[in-house]
Amino acid sequence: PSPYRPPFWQSKLYGEPFGDFNRRVARPVSSREPAAAPAPAARRPQSARVGPNQPRARAGVREGQGAEAGSIPPGRLQVLEDQMRKCIQKKKALHKRPEEQLEGAFLDEDRRRTGKIDARGFTAVWSRLGVKVTLVEAAAVFNKYGQDKDLKMPYKVFIDGLLVGKSRLLAMAGDVRQGAFLDPREAAFLGKIVYRPCRKGVYPPTNWDPALAARSAEIPERGLQLEFVYGYEGKENLAKNIFYVNEAEVVYYAAAVGVVYNKNTHTQRHFVQHDDDIRCLTLDPSKRLVATGQVGKYPKVLVWQVYDLQCVQTLVFPAVRGVIAVAFSPDGKKLLTCGSDDRHTLFVWDWRKKTKLCEMPGQNGTPPQVYGLVWNPHGVDQFISYGINHLKTWDRQNNGTYTPTAGVFGKAGTHVVMSAVFLPSGVVVSGMPTGELCMWKGSKCLRTMRAHAKGPQVIRTDGAIACSGVRCLCLRDDFKVMLSAGADGTVIAWDITSGDIREQSQILGTVALKSAYANTTAPLIRSLDCYRDSNVFVAGTHRCDIWEVDETPEVLIYGHSADLYGLAVNPVKTTQFATTSDGDRVFLWDSQKRHMLRTANLGGYKGRSIAFSPDAKHLAIGTSSGGISVMDGATLQFLKWCKSFESSVPDLKYSPDGQYLAAASSDLFVDVFIVKENYTKIARCKGHTSTVSHLDWSSNSKTIMSNCNAYELLYWEASTGRQVKANQRDTDWDTYTCVIGFPVMGIWPEGSDGTDVNALDRSRDREHIVTVDDLGLVKLFNYPCVMKEPGQRHYRGHCSHVMNVKFSYDDKRVISVGGKDRVVLQWKVVSNENQIIGVVKPPYAWQSHDNNAWENPRAMAA
């Protein structure tokens, strides 16, 4: 782009302009940091360079004459110019234009009629006119409007620039610029900026402070710390994925986070070193090490310690798409894994040495064909793999490999094996979709017996519609009790002291889980684990909730059961936020208590967006069918239903004064409703060419800004729906969630196609913005973000396609929701990312079940 040149400057008359045009105002001093000395003068634009024998311009003030222009407070120059204009208007004489009147005042000072004036003369002129101007302020004026090599300003240039209309002045401020700023020294540019993916040119505000661009390039002083994960992977897990670590803690995964949850303190610790979706998890026999497998072109399994979350080993796989099953051997020395390739390749690792012991095809077919892997814990080097229409027993050979023997289903008929476990006698018990248990000896099915109801039909991970049946089988650590659970929501405890299960086997107990939500069926149990030597067990359900069942069953962790899009923060009770998903429910949460407060049904409609009114009395939910449901913001009692669109409502917001509700739609419209008239529609905004994805209100509740999936940035008059053609560069926006615009043009990474960033939010103190994207990242920037390569912090935890993010109203937390990973991540805003003090100590003594002390985990890993 062309360098900044003062408006109305004519080089043929005055020569090349001099001045540090990028330093008209100073960087604001944050309340969190001490005031810094002024930065070194910015490099002059090309047009302002001088020869070696010429004096350096210092904004009309020679050495010793006054301070540099960079020391005036931000916005002061704009205020001063407004005072000057008002002064001239008040002194306006009859039959005399303001330009002539101001020129006469300068001619009184310029007795030699040079047409130029120095800084002291400039302050004298304005002193006589009634406006006090310091030498420092005069320096800022000279830098903006230009000066010659003798440090004098042509006052005709100043008069034309001061009294011409703002719009015309800004249009003359420079050429059209392509792209965000590459260097903070370019940030004085006041003209039109065109950047991808925004299809409309954007403009800096008229009082734009270029020093803010330098802050945009800096890494934010604050950071985010993952505080809590709401949800659990209960939809796509193929095998057991939740385990007791000790009496107080369980370990599981959600999205790309390994979670260690303490039920006594209702707190979590998080393993966040995965860079893609976790698909399986297992706990070693010592209950100190966890192995988690993820997807990816070259997937990997990470082995990490429960007590300090340190990764002790990384196993990288060939191109098998992902790791869908993992199991430690009974001695904890070997790790068995299954790939997500068409051959479902099995790998046996000596994980400590990072050595692959053997590799063999597990089952041919479109994945997932293999659901789980189970080692024989009773002294035989043997394991089974099971899944769609197969159960294979793998025995170790003398050469170190494992040879499979396919199971013969016999009278049981070929079926999907949902779960499996070894009994002490060597009998294998497997779960069937019909709710029956199947007993195997060797490779033959001996018999089946009724245990559970088959449950409702569901869509399996391979796309087939079937019943889940017996989804979970689990042995208690004393090998005397087996638990079975399934799609009927019932858990049965079986006496296996005889080494087998028969029709006459004693049932020690039966527990039927009841739904945590009114008027809904019992949850389908997807994973199960029991605490040693007790009747207490933990269960993960298809609603992505985690239950602990003892004398008083309760839900430990609540989650969402469908794709998650809608998120809103409470403007009155700042610890509360609300979510809605395709699971036809709305949830109200408390971030301080880390618990769900209440939930309500949407009557079968899928929620896509959600918003609190400014007084938090109303909560509006936009649905995928084009309707809007309004509820009480505290009780979630239904208040009003509005059907305005034919397709989904991706975003909606109340005006700052609470009088209006604006709703964006996939129908290409933005509709405006008046709240006090029972949400009567008063305007429809037409003009977008694609789905309207984001919108914001001006602080005066008169103007709406919206952007769509075609990257158009449009403005609307709220009361009429008319498109506002004039640029809104000086409009103050109550919120900023649109992903395009001047103050957020730096969020788009190099090579992005416009679909990468899904949501954005500006903090209430206007210091930061947070974004979420298709790479599963939560990013924190300084606001405004106008540099091509801005400073940023990024955080992992979600799977791909994170769909929404918000600062809490007190800016103490950030909430992000993950689309298809169905989890809510709660982040704490910290002033220093190293705020975690010390090392997390083990919450309990590390012992084996036979009370023999184990060696140091790091030494064991080594």
Side-chain angles (χ1 to χ4, degrees):
S2 301
Y4 173 81
R5 293 177 65 83
F8 298 99
W9 185 275
Q10 299 182 49
S11 297
K12 290 184 179 180
L13 293 179
Y14 312 121
E16 287 300 310
F18 285 73
D20 296 331
F21 307 123
N22 293 328
R23 300 194 61 242
R24 296 198 297 279
V25 290
R27 175 187 174 186
V29 178
S30 170
S31 61
R32 299 189 308 277
E33 62 181 4
R43 184 181 63 191
R44 292 186 186 86
Q46 184 69 30
S47 60
R49 291 181 182 173
V50 296
N53 298 323
Q54 293 176 297
R56 175 179 172 85
R58 289 292 298 268
V61 183
R62 294 187 185 276
E63 186 175 0
Q65 241 182 331
E68 285 191 338
S71 60
I72 72 170
R76 171 57 187 159
L77 185 57
Q78 180 69 26
V79 173
L80 180 63
E81 289 174 336
D82 290 340
Q83 292 175 350
M84 292 175 175
R85 293 187 186 99
K86 291 178 181 178
C87 173
I88 296 301
Q89 289 298 325
K90 287 181 180 180
K91 295 180 179 295
K92 185 176 180 180
L94 186 64
H95 305 303
K96 200 170 187 180
R97 294 186 298 119
E99 292 89 341
E100 296 174 352
Q101 187 176 353
L102 185 55
E103 185 176 6
F106 278 106
L107 286 172
D108 290 343
E109 183 72 20
D110 179 25
R111 296 180 180 179
R112 296 185 179 181
R113 300 298 188 267
T114 62
K116 301 177 182 179
I117 198 164
D118 62 15
R120 292 192 179 278
F122 183 83
T123 59
V125 169
W126 283 108
S127 177
R128 288 194 293 270
L129 291 174
V131 178
K132 183 179 179 181
V133 181
T134 66
L135 284 175
V136 177
E137 293 167 340
V141 172
F142 277 45
N143 264 345
K144 177 175 181 179
Y145 292 95
Q147 58 195 311
D148 64 11
K149 63 181 181 180
D150 295 322
L151 312 180
K152 293 184 177 182
M153 178 179 69
Y155 46 81
K156 184 68 167 61
V157 170
F158 169 75
I159 293 169
D160 290 341
L162 180 70
L163 298 181
V164 76
K166 282 187 179 181
S167 300
R168 185 182 170 204
L169 178 64
L170 290 166
M172 301 177 65
D175 299 329
V176 175
R177 176 186 175 84
Q178 299 291 329
F181 301 126
L182 299 174
D183 191 294
R185 290 171 292 188
E186 303 172 354
F189 184 81
L190 294 177
K192 183 178 181 180
I193 301 174
V194 178
Y195 75 96
R196 298 186 64 184
C198 185
R199 291 177 58 183
K200 187 175 183 178
V202 298
Y203 295 83
T206 54
N207 61 349
W208 165 242
D209 180 359
L212 292 174
R215 182 174 180 271
S216 173
E218 298 172 356
I219 296 176
E221 295 176 354
R222 298 177 184 174
L224 302 181
Q225 184 183 99
L226 185 57
E227 186 176 27
F228 206 79
V229 178
Y230 301 88
Y232 149 82
E233 181 51 82
K235 300 293 284 187
E236 298 181 6
N237 65 310
L238 300 171
K240 181 177 178 178
N241 65 347
I242 185 167
F243 295 84
Y244 270 107
V245 177
N246 57 59
E247 187 177 5
E249 290 186 320
V250 294
V251 61
Y252 58 96
Y253 69 87
V257 183
V259 181
V260 181
Y261 170 73
N262 188 306
K263 66 174 185 175
N264 293 340
T265 60
H266 192 53
T267 57
Q268 296 174 344
R269 295 179 286 122
H270 306 104
F271 179 77
V272 292
Q273 295 188 33
H274 280 281
D275 54 15
D276 217 323
D277 310 19
I278 299 177
R279 279 290 174 260
C280 54
L281 175 147
T282 191
L283 186 68
D284 87 319
S286 72
K287 296 187 180 293
R288 293 176 303 168
L289 295 169
V290 179
T292 43
Q294 69 170 57
V295 300
K297 182 178 180 180
Y298 298 104
K300 55 190 176 184
V301 168
L302 302 183
V303 181
W304 47 281
Q305 297 176 152
V306 174
Y307 82 98
D308 64 358
L309 306 176
Q310 294 297 311
C311 182
V312 296
Q313 193 59 274
T314 301
L315 306 176
V316 181
F317 290 72
V320 293
R321 302 189 191 124
V323 180
I324 58 175
V326 61
F328 279 104
S329 61
D331 60 5
K333 295 180 179 179
K334 289 182 283 192
L335 190 65
L336 173 63
T337 64
C338 178
S340 187
D341 55 316
D342 290 349
R343 299 172 70 240
H344 295 80
T345 306
L346 301 179
F347 300 88
V348 180
W349 298 81
D350 183 335
W351 66 269
R352 293 185 182 88
K353 297 179 180 179
K354 211 172 181 176
T355 301
K356 184 166 59 178
L357 301 178
C358 58
E359 172 184 338
M360 50 269 185
Q363 180 77 1
N364 290 325
T366 303
Q369 296 285 319
V370 176
Y371 283 6
L373 306 168
V374 181
W375 285 94
N376 188 333
H378 307 298
V380 180
D381 197 348
Q382 179 188 65
F383 65 86
I384 56 175
S385 63
Y386 63 88
I388 295 180
N389 300 336
H390 79 279
L391 185 146
K392 294 182 179 180
T393 304
W394 300 75
D395 295 288
R396 188 176 185 276
Q397 306 301 309
N398 293 332
N399 59 3
T401 62
Y402 291 81
T403 302
T405 303
V408 179
F409 288 88
K411 293 182 180 181
T414 303
H415 59 266
V416 177
V417 179
M418 307 301 297
S419 54
V421 67
F422 278 97
L423 298 186
S425 62
V427 171
V428 173
V429 180
S430 66
M432 299 173 63
T434 58
E436 297 172 285
L437 297 179
C438 185
M439 268 57 67
W440 303 75
K441 188 66 174 179
S443 60
K444 294 183 180 181
C445 174
L446 301 177
R447 62 187 177 277
T448 63
M449 58 177 286
R450 174 65 57 185
H452 295 266
K454 61 183 179 181
Q457 287 190 330
V458 295
I459 300 177
R460 292 194 321 224
T461 51
D462 61 350
I465 299 177
C467 298
S468 295
V470 183
R471 192 64 177 75
C472 311
L473 292 171
C474 173
L475 282 187
R476 204 166 68 181
D477 290 341
D478 59 7
F479 299 133
K480 295 180 180 180
V481 177
M482 184 191 79
L483 298 182
S484 65
D488 58 358
T490 302
V491 180
I492 301 176
W494 303 85
D495 182 357
I496 58 169
T497 53
S498 65
D500 199 354
I501 296 179
R502 296 183 178 274
E503 297 285 352
Q504 62 271 25
S505 294
Q506 183 180 2
I507 296 178
L508 301 177
T510 300
V511 178
L513 299 186
K514 297 181 179 180
S515 176
Y517 313 117
N519 302 319
T520 56
T521 59
L524 283 64
I525 299 176
R526 301 277 297 182
S527 186
L528 186 71
D529 194 36
C530 53
Y531 186 63
R532 65 182 186 185
D533 304 328
S534 78
N535 295 321
V536 178
F537 64 88
V538 64
T541 76
H542 80 296
R543 294 195 177 105
C544 301
D545 301 330
I546 296 178
W547 288 70
E548 185 175 63
V549 179
D550 47 19
E551 292 80 8
T552 56
E554 63 174 335
V555 178
L556 301 177
I557 301 292
Y558 285 92
H560 297 81
S561 59
D563 295 1
L564 180 56
Y565 297 93
L567 171 65
V569 291
N570 192 313
V572 178
K573 297 180 179 179
T574 57
T575 62
Q576 292 186 9
F577 64 95
T579 57
T580 187
S581 72
D582 281 356
D584 80 345
R585 301 197 72 84
V586 57
F587 295 84
L588 188 62
W589 309 84
D590 190 301
S591 61
Q592 187 170 357
K593 296 179 180 178
R594 302 178 297 280
H595 199 71
M596 186 191 73
L597 298 176
R598 57 186 53 87
T599 180
N601 192 282
L602 286 174
Y605 293 104
K606 298 178 179 179
R608 284 300 173 93
S609 55
I610 191 167
F612 278 101
S613 61
D615 58 7
K617 292 182 178 179
H618 287 184
L619 184 64
I621 301 98
T623 67
S624 61
S625 64
I628 299 171
S629 179
V630 182
M631 295 182 172
D632 185 285
T635 65
L636 300 186
Q637 181 180 354
F638 174 78
L639 300 177
K640 175 69 177 177
W641 170 258
C642 308
K643 176 62 175 175
S644 187
F645 306 109
E646 297 301 320
S647 53
S648 66
V649 182
D651 195 13
L652 73 173
K653 287 185 178 69
Y654 284 90
S655 60
D657 61 9
Q659 294 188 33
Y660 305 102
L661 173 69
S665 79
S666 297
D667 294 345
L668 320 184
F669 307 131
V670 175
D671 282 1
V672 183
F673 305 84
I674 187 164
V675 175
K676 64 182 179 180
E677 296 181 6
N678 200 25
Y679 289 88
T680 300
K681 185 169 71 173
I682 62 168
R684 167 162 283 188
C685 309
K686 302 179 181 179
H688 279 289
T689 60
S690 185
T691 297
V692 186
S693 54
H694 304 87
L695 62 85
D696 291 289
W697 282 90
S698 61
S699 296
N700 61 10
S701 300
K702 294 182 178 180
T703 308
I704 298 171
M705 171 174 61
S706 60
N707 71 251
C708 68
N709 290 347
Y711 320 118
E712 297 166 330
L713 184 64
L714 303 182
Y715 307 99
W716 315 93
E717 186 180 89
S719 59
T720 65
R722 294 173 184 167
Q723 186 174 345
V724 179
K725 300 290 187 179
N727 195 284
Q728 300 298 299
R729 65 193 305 165
D730 290 325
T731 300
D732 183 68
W733 301 103
D734 182 62
T735 58
Y736 209 106
T737 60
C738 288
V739 295
I740 53 179
F742 170 76
V744 297
M745 62 182 181
I747 67 171
W748 297 93
E750 187 71 30
S752 61
D753 61 0
T755 63
D756 306 80
V757 180
N758 297 317
L760 172 152
D761 193 38
R762 181 187 67 191
S763 61
R764 298 313 183 276
D765 62 8
R766 306 194 179 201
E767 291 277 325
H768 301 91
I769 54 175
V770 62
T771 67
V772 290
D773 58 33
D774 283 354
L775 300 178
L777 297 177
V778 177
K779 295 182 180 180
L780 185 70
F781 303 86
N782 285 320
Y783 178 84
C785 182
V786 296
M787 297 298 297
K788 184 71 173 177
E789 297 181 357
Q792 60 181 273
R793 298 183 186 272
H794 64 267
Y795 303 89
R796 296 191 179 276
H798 283 289
C799 300
S800 58
H801 300 88
V802 193
M803 299 310 299
N804 214 333
V805 65
K806 299 286 182 186
F807 278 96
S808 63
Y809 254 77
D810 57 8
D811 289 335
K812 292 182 178 180
R813 290 181 173 89
V814 167
I815 311 296
S816 58
V817 298
K820 291 188 178 300
D821 67 22
R822 301 172 296 280
V823 301
V824 178
L825 299 188
Q826 178 176 305
W827 309 83
K828 184 179 179 181
V829 179
V830 295
S831 58
N832 189 328
E833 270 196 306
N834 297 321
Q835 208 174 36
I836 304 174
I837 301 174
V839 178
V840 180
K841 296 182 179 179
Y844 49 89
W846 297 104
Q847 289 185 321
S848 67
H849 295 173
D850 56 5
N851 293 323
N852 292 323
W854 292 88
E855 56 186 311
N856 180 279
R858 285 192 175 85
M860 183 179 72

